[in-house]
Amino acid sequence: MTVTLTALPYNSDSLAPHISERTLDFHHGKHHQAYVDNLNKLIGGTALAGEPLENIIKKTAGKADKTGIFNNAAQVWNHTFYWQSMKPGGGGMPSGQAAAKIDTDLGGYDRFIREFKNAALTQFGSGWAWLVLKNGRLEIIKTPNADTPIAHGLQPLMTLDVWEHAYYLDYQNRRGDYLEAFIQHLVNWDFVNANLP
Ligand code: FE
């Protein structure tokens, strides 16, 4: 059994103009696919082959001799989670339990936006900004490179990929403009609510 590339949950042209079809085709079809292919090569014939992806991540996290496997496995997982964190016509104000918890745990929507933007903009180089659940409370964190909350016992609720490959074709170096489009037009609050216990 090998790890497979999960299909996008929408057509590759349906997040345009905020994320173009060209970006999604490269990002999903080339970058995400490459992590899947590299992972399968690295685990082929080892005890990790056939393990669920989350187990591979947890078993290789922090192991100096398993960095390659961890990086590729975590990137496969992170990207699948990122696709689900967006939807056509998303963004704007949260609803339901997500909205209520943003008020009680994070001090309201405006503060959430400030902190999420800060995490995404201050991640130096490649990485991810996340809304996670820690001990039942919402938190905003950033992770470098391939690192992922599930390696640290945190429950991810949504994520933004801030690797340059996520936005360079559409926004060049303007990470802030990509971030603004994500917040205003793409965040899938239904997915956040579905991830809350
Ligand atoms: Fe990416």
Side-chain angles (χ1 to χ4, degrees):
M1 192 183 88
T2 55
V3 174
T4 54
L5 180 69
T6 310
L8 288 175
Y10 31 74
N11 294 329
S12 60
D13 63 356
S14 57
L15 300 184
H18 313 295
I19 295 179
S20 66
E21 180 174 19
R22 187 154 179 261
T23 289
L24 278 188
D25 283 346
F26 270 98
H27 198 177
H28 180 256
K30 303 288 185 194
H31 292 277
H32 196 178
Q33 179 73 63
Y35 296 125
V36 170
D37 294 343
N38 288 338
L39 177 61
N40 283 322
K41 259 181 242 160
L42 289 167
I43 63 174
T46 76
L48 291 171
E51 287 266 353
L53 187 57
E54 294 201 13
N55 288 4
I56 297 172
I57 292 168
K58 288 170 185 165
K59 286 180 175 177
T60 57
K63 303 237 167 81
D65 60 334
K66 298 279 193 297
T67 306
I69 296 175
F70 174 81
N71 283 342
N72 284 283
Q75 284 293 80
V76 172
W77 194 95
N78 290 348
H79 280 89
T80 300
F81 198 79
Y82 166 61
W83 308 133
Q84 294 173 282
S85 296
M86 302 185 286
K87 68 171 188 179
M93 298 297 285
S95 55
Q97 201 189 348
K101 282 190 77 60
I102 282 172
D103 283 345
T104 52
D105 297 350
L106 297 177
Y109 182 72
D110 291 347
R111 225 186 105 201
F112 156 74
I113 291 295
R114 261 202 319 277
E115 286 188 19
F116 191 80
K117 281 184 179 175
N118 186 53
L121 288 171
T122 61
Q123 175 53 46
F124 183 76
S126 297
W128 302 81
W130 302 84
L131 179 65
V132 302
L133 203 60
K134 181 181 184 182
N135 301 325
R137 288 175 61 87
L138 298 185
E139 277 193 19
I140 290 159
I141 64 165
K142 57 187 176 182
T143 59
N145 300 312
D147 199 14
T148 181
I150 64 171
H152 305 283
L154 303 171
Q155 165 72 54
L157 301 173
M158 68 90 160
T159 193
L160 176 67
D161 187 343
V162 297
W163 285 57
E164 275 192 351
H165 67 219
Y167 59 87
Y168 206 84
L169 293 176
D170 298 328
Y171 298 94
Q172 292 75 52
N173 62 329
R174 303 188 314 276
R175 186 187 289 186
D177 289 355
Y178 158 67
L179 167 61
E180 198 66 42
F182 175 80
I183 288 168
Q184 289 186 21
H185 303 287
L186 297 173
V187 179
N188 184 350
W189 288 113
D190 299 333
F191 181 63
V192 175
N193 275 315
N195 288 324
L196 282 166

